[in-house]
PDB file of all heavy atoms in Angstrom:
ATOM      1  N   ARG A 183     -19.369 -11.659  -8.027  1.00 94.00           N
ATOM      2  CA  ARG A 183     -19.964 -11.807  -9.235  1.00 94.00           C
ATOM      3  C   ARG A 183     -21.396 -11.254  -9.152  1.00 94.00           C
ATOM      4  O   ARG A 183     -21.939 -10.705 -10.094  1.00 94.00           O
ATOM      5  CB  ARG A 183     -20.113 -13.380  -9.389  1.00 94.00           C
ATOM      6  CG  ARG A 183     -18.949 -13.987 -10.047  1.00 94.00           C
ATOM      7  CD  ARG A 183     -19.115 -15.415 -10.532  1.00 94.00           C
ATOM      8  NE  ARG A 183     -19.538 -16.313  -9.490  1.00 94.00           N
ATOM      9  CZ  ARG A 183     -18.801 -17.059  -8.653  1.00 94.00           C
ATOM     10  NH1 ARG A 183     -17.590 -17.006  -8.959  1.00 94.00           N
ATOM     11  NH2 ARG A 183     -19.264 -17.775  -7.775  1.00 94.00           N
ATOM     12  N   GLU A 184     -22.057 -11.280  -7.871  1.00 94.00           N
ATOM     13  CA  GLU A 184     -23.330 -10.617  -7.764  1.00 94.00           C
ATOM     14  C   GLU A 184     -23.279  -9.189  -7.952  1.00 94.00           C
ATOM     15  O   GLU A 184     -24.252  -8.536  -8.330  1.00 94.00           O
ATOM     16  CB  GLU A 184     -23.979 -11.027  -6.330  1.00 94.00           C
ATOM     17  CG  GLU A 184     -24.401 -12.504  -6.372  1.00 94.00           C
ATOM     18  CD  GLU A 184     -24.840 -12.850  -4.879  1.00 94.00           C
ATOM     19  OE1 GLU A 184     -24.940 -11.846  -4.060  1.00 94.00           O
ATOM     20  OE2 GLU A 184     -25.153 -13.980  -4.665  1.00 94.00           O
ATOM     21  N   ALA A 185     -22.209  -8.478  -7.446  1.00 93.00           N
ATOM     22  CA  ALA A 185     -21.958  -7.109  -7.604  1.00 93.00           C
ATOM     23  C   ALA A 185     -21.492  -6.738  -9.100  1.00 93.00           C
ATOM     24  O   ALA A 185     -21.292  -5.588  -9.387  1.00 93.00           O
ATOM     25  CB  ALA A 185     -21.008  -6.678  -6.696  1.00 93.00           C
ATOM     26  N   ASN A 186     -21.527  -7.696  -9.972  1.00 93.00           N
ATOM     27  CA  ASN A 186     -21.146  -7.391 -11.433  1.00 93.00           C
ATOM     28  C   ASN A 186     -19.635  -6.944 -11.589  1.00 93.00           C
ATOM     29  O   ASN A 186     -19.350  -5.915 -12.254  1.00 93.00           O
ATOM     30  CB  ASN A 186     -22.117  -6.611 -12.176  1.00 93.00           C
ATOM     31  CG  ASN A 186     -21.984  -6.608 -13.634  1.00 93.00           C
ATOM     32  OD1 ASN A 186     -21.458  -7.652 -14.126  1.00 93.00           O
ATOM     33  ND2 ASN A 186     -22.416  -5.637 -14.317  1.00 93.00           N
ATOM     34  N   LEU A 187     -18.768  -7.532 -10.795  1.00 91.00           N
ATOM     35  CA  LEU A 187     -17.362  -7.255 -10.799  1.00 91.00           C
ATOM     36  C   LEU A 187     -16.574  -8.594 -11.182  1.00 91.00           C
ATOM     37  O   LEU A 187     -16.040  -9.239 -10.308  1.00 91.00           O
ATOM     38  CB  LEU A 187     -16.821  -6.674  -9.499  1.00 91.00           C
ATOM     39  CG  LEU A 187     -17.400  -5.404  -8.875  1.00 91.00           C
ATOM     40  CD1 LEU A 187     -17.022  -5.220  -7.515  1.00 91.00           C
ATOM     41  CD2 LEU A 187     -16.877  -4.286  -9.934  1.00 91.00           C
ATOM     42  N   PRO A 188     -16.661  -8.855 -12.430  1.00 87.00           N
ATOM     43  CA  PRO A 188     -16.066 -10.157 -12.885  1.00 87.00           C
ATOM     44  C   PRO A 188     -14.577 -10.215 -13.026  1.00 87.00           C
ATOM     45  O   PRO A 188     -13.933 -11.358 -13.062  1.00 87.00           O
ATOM     46  CB  PRO A 188     -16.729 -10.331 -14.255  1.00 87.00           C
ATOM     47  CG  PRO A 188     -16.907  -8.954 -14.803  1.00 87.00           C
ATOM     48  CD  PRO A 188     -17.213  -8.103 -13.609  1.00 87.00           C
ATOM     49  N   LYS A 189     -13.768  -9.073 -13.042  1.00 91.00           N
ATOM     50  CA  LYS A 189     -12.433  -9.084 -13.190  1.00 91.00           C
ATOM     51  C   LYS A 189     -11.723  -9.251 -11.777  1.00 91.00           C
ATOM     52  O   LYS A 189     -11.547  -8.226 -10.970  1.00 91.00           O
ATOM     53  CB  LYS A 189     -11.931  -7.795 -13.792  1.00 91.00           C
ATOM     54  CG  LYS A 189     -12.305  -7.721 -15.225  1.00 91.00           C
ATOM     55  CD  LYS A 189     -11.967  -6.238 -15.679  1.00 91.00           C
ATOM     56  CE  LYS A 189     -10.578  -6.523 -16.611  1.00 91.00           C
ATOM     57  NZ  LYS A 189     -10.249  -5.169 -17.215  1.00 91.00           N
ATOM     58  N   ILE A 190     -11.426 -10.512 -11.466  1.00 92.00           N
ATOM     59  CA  ILE A 190     -10.789 -10.847 -10.225  1.00 92.00           C
ATOM     60  C   ILE A 190      -9.482 -11.489 -10.496  1.00 92.00           C
ATOM     61  O   ILE A 190      -9.331 -12.379 -11.373  1.00 92.00           O
ATOM     62  CB  ILE A 190     -11.707 -11.872  -9.451  1.00 92.00           C
ATOM     63  CG1 ILE A 190     -13.025 -11.253  -9.233  1.00 92.00           C
ATOM     64  CG2 ILE A 190     -11.086 -12.216  -8.044  1.00 92.00           C
ATOM     65  CD1 ILE A 190     -14.003 -12.243  -8.559  1.00 92.00           C
ATOM     66  N   ILE A 191      -8.408 -11.010  -9.743  1.00 92.00           N
ATOM     67  CA  ILE A 191      -7.149 -11.680  -9.847  1.00 92.00           C
ATOM     68  C   ILE A 191      -6.656 -11.994  -8.373  1.00 92.00           C
ATOM     69  O   ILE A 191      -7.057 -11.509  -7.436  1.00 92.00           O
ATOM     70  CB  ILE A 191      -6.031 -10.687 -10.602  1.00 92.00           C
ATOM     71  CG1 ILE A 191      -5.977  -9.399  -9.775  1.00 92.00           C
ATOM     72  CG2 ILE A 191      -6.470 -10.432 -11.932  1.00 92.00           C
ATOM     73  CD1 ILE A 191      -4.942  -8.430 -10.258  1.00 92.00           C
ATOM     74  N   TYR A 192      -5.675 -12.969  -8.437  1.00 90.00           N
ATOM     75  CA  TYR A 192      -5.057 -13.295  -7.169  1.00 90.00           C
ATOM     76  C   TYR A 192      -3.582 -12.885  -7.202  1.00 90.00           C
ATOM     77  O   TYR A 192      -2.838 -12.912  -8.166  1.00 90.00           O
ATOM     78  CB  TYR A 192      -4.945 -14.901  -7.070  1.00 90.00           C
ATOM     79  CG  TYR A 192      -6.336 -15.481  -6.901  1.00 90.00           C
ATOM     80  CD1 TYR A 192      -7.065 -15.908  -7.877  1.00 90.00           C
ATOM     81  CD2 TYR A 192      -6.855 -15.605  -5.603  1.00 90.00           C
ATOM     82  CE1 TYR A 192      -8.293 -16.537  -7.743  1.00 90.00           C
ATOM     83  CE2 TYR A 192      -8.085 -16.178  -5.425  1.00 90.00           C
ATOM     84  CZ  TYR A 192      -8.794 -16.629  -6.518  1.00 90.00           C
ATOM     85  OH  TYR A 192      -9.922 -17.290  -6.280  1.00 90.00           O
ATOM     86  N   ILE A 193      -3.219 -12.267  -6.046  1.00 89.00           N
ATOM     87  CA  ILE A 193      -1.785 -11.746  -5.885  1.00 89.00           C
ATOM     88  C   ILE A 193      -1.016 -12.904  -5.273  1.00 89.00           C
ATOM     89  O   ILE A 193      -1.412 -13.442  -4.253  1.00 89.00           O
ATOM     90  CB  ILE A 193      -1.848 -10.458  -4.966  1.00 89.00           C
ATOM     91  CG1 ILE A 193      -2.713  -9.490  -5.437  1.00 89.00           C
ATOM     92  CG2 ILE A 193      -0.428  -9.916  -4.909  1.00 89.00           C
ATOM     93  CD1 ILE A 193      -2.263  -8.794  -6.791  1.00 89.00           C
ATOM     94  N   THR A 194       0.222 -13.196  -5.796  1.00 88.00           N
ATOM     95  CA  THR A 194       1.053 -14.230  -5.403  1.00 88.00           C
ATOM     96  C   THR A 194       2.488 -13.622  -5.243  1.00 88.00           C
ATOM     97  O   THR A 194       2.753 -12.403  -5.734  1.00 88.00           O
ATOM     98  CB  THR A 194       0.993 -15.473  -6.192  1.00 88.00           C
ATOM     99  OG1 THR A 194       1.455 -15.050  -7.628  1.00 88.00           O
ATOM    100  CG2 THR A 194      -0.421 -16.075  -6.355  1.00 88.00           C
ATOM    101  N   THR A 195       3.360 -14.442  -4.903  1.00 86.00           N
ATOM    102  CA  THR A 195       4.893 -14.058  -4.960  1.00 86.00           C
ATOM    103  C   THR A 195       5.390 -14.928  -6.015  1.00 86.00           C
ATOM    104  O   THR A 195       4.996 -15.955  -6.321  1.00 86.00           O
ATOM    105  CB  THR A 195       5.447 -14.310  -3.595  1.00 86.00           C
ATOM    106  OG1 THR A 195       5.263 -15.691  -3.251  1.00 86.00           O
ATOM    107  CG2 THR A 195       4.912 -13.485  -2.469  1.00 86.00           C
ATOM    108  N   GLN A 196       6.604 -14.408  -6.537  1.00 81.00           N
ATOM    109  CA  GLN A 196       7.257 -14.905  -7.651  1.00 81.00           C
ATOM    110  C   GLN A 196       8.162 -16.063  -7.209  1.00 81.00           C
ATOM    111  O   GLN A 196       8.799 -15.978  -6.185  1.00 81.00           O
ATOM    112  CB  GLN A 196       8.096 -13.896  -8.272  1.00 81.00           C
ATOM    113  CG  GLN A 196       8.984 -14.394  -9.504  1.00 81.00           C
ATOM    114  CD  GLN A 196       8.042 -14.585 -10.813  1.00 81.00           C
ATOM    115  OE1 GLN A 196       7.139 -13.919 -10.916  1.00 81.00           O
ATOM    116  NE2 GLN A 196       8.415 -15.596 -11.574  1.00 81.00           N
TER     117      GLN A 196
END
Side-chain angles (χ1 to χ4, degrees):
R183 279 193 300 268
E184 289 175 5
N186 199 21
L187 294 168
K189 291 177 103 178
I190 301 171
I191 60 173
Y192 291 96
I193 305 293
T194 62
T195 55
Q196 180 74 30

